[in-house]
Amino acid sequence: MAQDGKRERDRPWIMRTYSGHSTAAASNELYRTNLAKGQTGLSVAFDLPTQTGYDADDPLARGEVGKVGVPISHIGDMRALFDGIPLDQMNTSMTINATAVWLLSLYIATAEDQGVDPRVLRGTTQNDIIKEYLSRGTHIFPPAASMRLITDLITYTVDEVPKWNPINICSYHLQEAGATPTQELAYALVTAIGVLDAVKATGRIPEAEFGKVVGRISFFVNAGIRFVEELCKMRAFVELWDRVTQERYGVTDPKQRRFRYGVQVNSLGLTEQQPENNVIRIVLEMLAVTLSKDARARAIQLPAWNEALGLPRPWDQQWSLRTQQILAYETDLLEYDDLFTGSEVVKAHTQDLVESAWAEVQEVLKRGGAVEAVESGYIKQRLVESNAARLRAIEAGEQIVVGVNKFVESEPSPLTENLDEAILTVDPKVDADQRAALARWKETRDNDAVDKALAELQRVAKSDENMMVPSIAAAHAGVTTGEWANLLREVWGEYRAPTGVSGASVKTAATGANAETVARLRDRIHALEASMGRRPKMLVGKPGLDGHSNGAEQIAIKARDVGFDVVYEGIRVSPEQIVASALEEGVHLIGLSILSGSHLALVPEVMKRLRAAGLGDVPVVAGGIIPEADAERLRQEGVAAVYTPKDFELDNIMSDLIDLVDRQHAAE
């Protein structure tokens, strides 16, 4: 108790919103507005070209510039992004992975331009490439080169930027890819073990100081709607991390063993149907990471209610921020010790998760560790199968989602009565403006300095020296994101991760209505095969830089299960490659999946190229977060059908796809 008789309150967690869009200047305005509203940290969303190492003028960046985050091509963009925001007073989280070394170098260079000593900088680079291979898809380089970049960043910051969290082991996207709580725990822990083992192997950190590295490791987790289970998961994380750091790495200081994590609650469960329900979901999910003081998040960012519809507006982000503020400042939550100490239910379920997760950790380590389990496809296949099981349970009504498969009757929502105004849209002009600004940058910079910086970067990349030093110098010299990444592509090559689709199995019920539906679909495919003289073949493609492949994977698996011959090559396939594959494989149907908002740029490009290749009669369907107005435009372009998150019944989609092939065959 304080002297005035009131209970002393714990300090609230850092409150963030994950944001960035269009341009550095527009994002800067949004950041300053959010900070004025009481946000206490920044969480920067970068666009896909920035995340995957392309400049706005690269052909692979078309349609993607400024869509899901802010484009940062060089130090001029980074200066504009943080204009008027003193970096020595800010805690900045940057969701960046393959290009983490480069973006942190730009951030450090910008701080130095402000006269700020990098040693006082606070924040986080996500820098977790393992989960990119498994779920989010913004990887560039092969695993060995990627781990080298991760360890370079960590070993540089431990002394030069000592208040910085150099890596955010990110299990958030594992859950978004279908991970169970056991899998989220296990695969995050084996990632951390892989990283720490790699840091130790560099020999750069004296044994006596290794605890400093462990103490700067942070995590970024997910919290789903089963908030009792999620709460227990967080308590299990605390227990398991203490075990790993003490037993494997011999860390004796309890502060260095502390499990430090930030969170964004689940976006996978947000629904396009009755989206107002998402507010309640978000609040309940936030409770899982705040109610238990002994496992409370240190930073929280909440999605907005309308993220299943498109890009949230500033007002939507404000609503999510106010949700955090009400819990922190209006309730008495922060006045008490842990509410669940002594709870037999929580204790028992936490222990169950500890044991099951530790068993899976041992399985992955037996297979050689996280990197080896990525390269073999083991972890990816496990996630694909878990996600398939989740979708089957929803489709069968075994897992209830209010407004989706139960209680679907609804009054018209005033929040969505004008869908064109219910989300933020990025002006297509942003793309051209960014390319023009990039051209001006290249014309006015000192290109001799750029050439020297790139030459030094190449030299270090071929050595075992730390990549941070030449990257910071390159940032100051005016090197661009694409130049930095392309040089390293030349040195190390690129990497296509296993899709997990080929080995994944779908466990279909042997009896009941669902089994009968699948049997009917298979019979229809067999009849088509007899009529056509070959099995119907479907190409599933993901054009552009969008790496969120869960939907495409599930469509591919389901189509294969009902009898389609399926071609799926994974993420980041150009329109040209899709058309070439369609020609080579002789497909009867093409499904395109895009979740980044670039559908109006990329789908028409595929359609145009198909017509030019003489494949204009092959039916094309599109899926993703696509507003109805955009869906109508795609249909006018010749797209046969458009599917969005509301279309969760895969059997119905398969029936539609069989109809399309059947009609096209009959017309030939």
Side-chain angles (χ1 to χ4, degrees), residues 245-406:
T245 55
Q246 189 168 202
E247 295 179 2
R248 189 178 184 95
Y249 299 109
V251 180
T252 57
D253 185 344
K255 289 184 178 179
Q256 293 177 337
R257 297 202 309 267
R258 184 180 300 153
F259 183 77
R260 301 180 308 117
Y261 77 99
V263 65
Q264 175 167 311
V265 304
N266 190 275
S267 293
L268 181 66
L270 301 183
T271 63
E272 182 180 359
Q273 305 94 313
Q274 301 179 20
E276 61 275 8
N277 296 343
N278 293 332
V279 177
I280 288 77
R281 293 185 177 103
I282 289 166
V283 170
L284 291 172
E285 290 165 353
M286 179 174 59
L287 293 179
V289 295
T290 54
L291 285 180
S292 178
K293 179 178 179 178
D294 292 346
R296 183 172 292 150
R298 293 172 67 115
I300 297 175
Q301 59 192 43
L302 301 181
W305 68 277
N306 55 350
E307 288 199 16
L309 306 176
L311 192 64
R313 302 157 298 184
W315 184 86
D316 308 312
Q317 293 191 332
Q318 174 184 298
W319 196 0
S320 291
L321 176 61
R322 294 293 184 252
T323 300
Q324 293 199 58
Q325 291 168 331
I326 289 168
L327 179 63
Y329 298 114
E330 290 193 25
T331 78
D332 57 353
L333 174 65
L334 298 180
E335 297 175 10
Y336 293 92
D337 289 333
D338 197 290
L339 305 179
F340 299 96
T341 300
S343 167
E344 293 300 322
V345 171
V346 169
K347 180 180 178 181
H349 192 38
T350 299
Q351 196 56 39
D352 286 344
L353 288 171
V354 165
E355 292 174 3
S356 62
W358 193 245
E360 184 64 10
V361 166
Q362 299 310 308
E363 176 64 30
V364 174
L365 293 179
K366 184 176 72 176
R367 292 170 178 267
V371 171
E372 290 78 1
V374 165
E375 293 176 324
S376 70
Y378 169 75
I379 296 179
K380 181 65 174 178
Q381 184 175 318
R382 292 293 306 274
L383 294 176
V384 169
E385 289 174 344
S386 294
N387 203 23
R390 181 188 67 85
L391 290 173
R392 284 197 308 275
I394 293 172
E395 190 169 10
E398 299 164 4
Q399 180 174 328
I400 292 173
V401 182
V402 173
V404 173
N405 62 2
K406 197 173 182 65

Side-chain angles (χ1 to χ4, degrees), residues 44-180:
V44 182
F46 297 97
D47 72 354
L48 287 173
T50 304
Q51 293 185 51
T52 53
Y54 295 103
D55 287 331
D57 58 1
D58 194 292
L60 289 173
R62 62 190 171 204
E64 305 278 18
V65 176
K67 284 286 172 58
V68 299
V70 57
I72 299 295
S73 293
H74 46 73
I75 193 171
D77 287 338
M78 191 66 92
R79 290 170 186 150
L81 185 65
F82 293 104
D83 182 42
I85 299 174
L87 297 186
D88 56 343
Q89 300 174 33
M90 192 48 52
N91 190 307
T92 304
S93 171
M94 297 193 287
T95 302
I96 201 77
N97 296 282
T99 53
V101 162
W102 176 241
L103 270 294
L104 181 58
S105 295
L106 288 172
Y107 190 82
I108 290 172
T110 300
E112 289 174 340
D113 285 352
Q114 288 187 1
V116 173
D117 183 349
R119 295 182 64 81
V120 306
L121 294 177
R122 293 179 179 271
T124 302
T125 32
Q126 195 165 94
N127 197 28
D128 173 9
I129 206 66
I130 296 296
K131 64 93 177 51
E132 297 300 319
Y133 297 130
L134 297 171
S135 57
R136 194 163 167 266
T138 68
H139 54 274
I140 303 174
F141 312 112
S146 296
M147 289 296 282
R148 185 259 179 95
L149 286 173
I150 288 172
T151 57
D152 281 358
L153 193 155
I154 292 172
T155 56
Y156 180 84
T157 56
V158 70
D159 288 321
E160 301 298 328
V161 199
K163 296 181 180 180
W164 193 264
N165 299 320
I167 188 168
N168 212 211
I169 305 294
C170 183
S171 69
Y172 173 85
H173 291 101
L174 299 179
Q175 187 177 131
E176 296 290 295
T180 64

Side-chain angles (χ1 to χ4, degrees), residues 310-602:
L311 192 64
R313 302 157 298 184
W315 184 86
D316 308 312
Q317 293 191 332
Q318 174 184 298
W319 196 0
S320 291
L321 176 61
R322 294 293 184 252
T323 300
Q324 293 199 58
Q325 291 168 331
I326 289 168
L327 179 63
Y329 298 114
E330 290 193 25
T331 78
D332 57 353
L333 174 65
L334 298 180
E335 297 175 10
Y336 293 92
D337 289 333
D338 197 290
L339 305 179
F340 299 96
T341 300
S343 167
E344 293 300 322
V345 171
V346 169
K347 180 180 178 181
H349 192 38
T350 299
Q351 196 56 39
D352 286 344
L353 288 171
V354 165
E355 292 174 3
S356 62
W358 193 245
E360 184 64 10
V361 166
Q362 299 310 308
E363 176 64 30
V364 174
L365 293 179
K366 184 176 72 176
R367 292 170 178 267
V371 171
E372 290 78 1
V374 165
E375 293 176 324
S376 70
Y378 169 75
I379 296 179
K380 181 65 174 178
Q381 184 175 318
R382 292 293 306 274
L383 294 176
V384 169
E385 289 174 344
S386 294
N387 203 23
R390 181 188 67 85
L391 290 173
R392 284 197 308 275
I394 293 172
E395 190 169 10
E398 299 164 4
Q399 180 174 328
I400 292 173
V401 182
V402 173
V404 173
N405 62 2
K406 197 173 182 65
F407 312 117
V408 296
E409 302 79 9
S410 179
E411 297 296 326
S413 170
L415 291 174
T416 57
E417 61 184 9
N418 186 345
L419 280 176
D420 290 340
E421 297 181 1
I423 57 174
L424 179 68
T425 56
V426 175
D427 190 336
K429 187 172 175 286
V430 164
D431 196 317
D433 288 348
Q434 186 71 10
R435 289 198 304 273
L438 181 63
R440 290 193 298 273
W441 176 264
K442 290 181 177 179
E443 288 172 1
T444 57
R445 68 185 180 177
D446 183 343
N447 283 300
D448 286 340
V450 168
D451 291 342
K452 289 177 182 177
L454 289 172
E456 176 64 3
L457 191 71
Q458 183 182 58
R459 185 194 68 78
V460 173
K462 293 179 178 180
S463 74
D464 60 359
E465 296 175 36
N466 195 304
M467 289 292 295
M468 282 296 299
V469 176
S471 293
I472 294 171
H476 278 299
V479 168
T480 69
T481 297
E483 290 168 339
W484 181 90
N486 286 335
L487 184 144
L488 297 184
R489 285 184 176 97
E490 292 175 6
V491 176
W492 297 329
E494 291 191 78
Y495 183 72
R496 293 194 67 79
T499 67
V501 168
S502 60
S505 59
V506 177
K507 298 176 182 177
T508 306
T511 58
N514 286 96
E516 293 172 3
T517 299
V518 171
R520 285 194 297 270
L521 292 171
R522 288 171 177 166
D523 288 344
R524 292 179 63 193
I525 288 286
H526 290 150
L528 258 178
E529 182 177 3
S531 174
M532 297 167 61
R534 56 177 289 205
R535 213 158 33 126
K537 182 177 281 191
M538 178 181 183
L539 169 65
V540 178
K542 283 194 63 63
L545 300 179
D546 167 37
H548 290 85
S549 56
N550 303 335
E553 291 159 1
Q554 295 307 316
I555 290 293
I557 291 172
K558 186 67 177 182
R560 188 186 65 197
D561 181 53
V562 301
F564 276 100
D565 190 357
V566 177
V567 179
Y568 176 60
E569 297 176 352
I571 62 171
R572 272 188 262 163
V573 185
S574 70
E576 297 92 327
Q577 290 170 320
I578 288 172
V579 173
S581 184
L583 273 170
E584 181 180 347
E585 298 284 351
V587 301
H588 305 101
L589 176 68
I590 298 172
L592 304 177
S593 171
I594 303 173
L595 281 82
S596 64
S598 59
H599 45 269
L600 289 181
L602 293 173

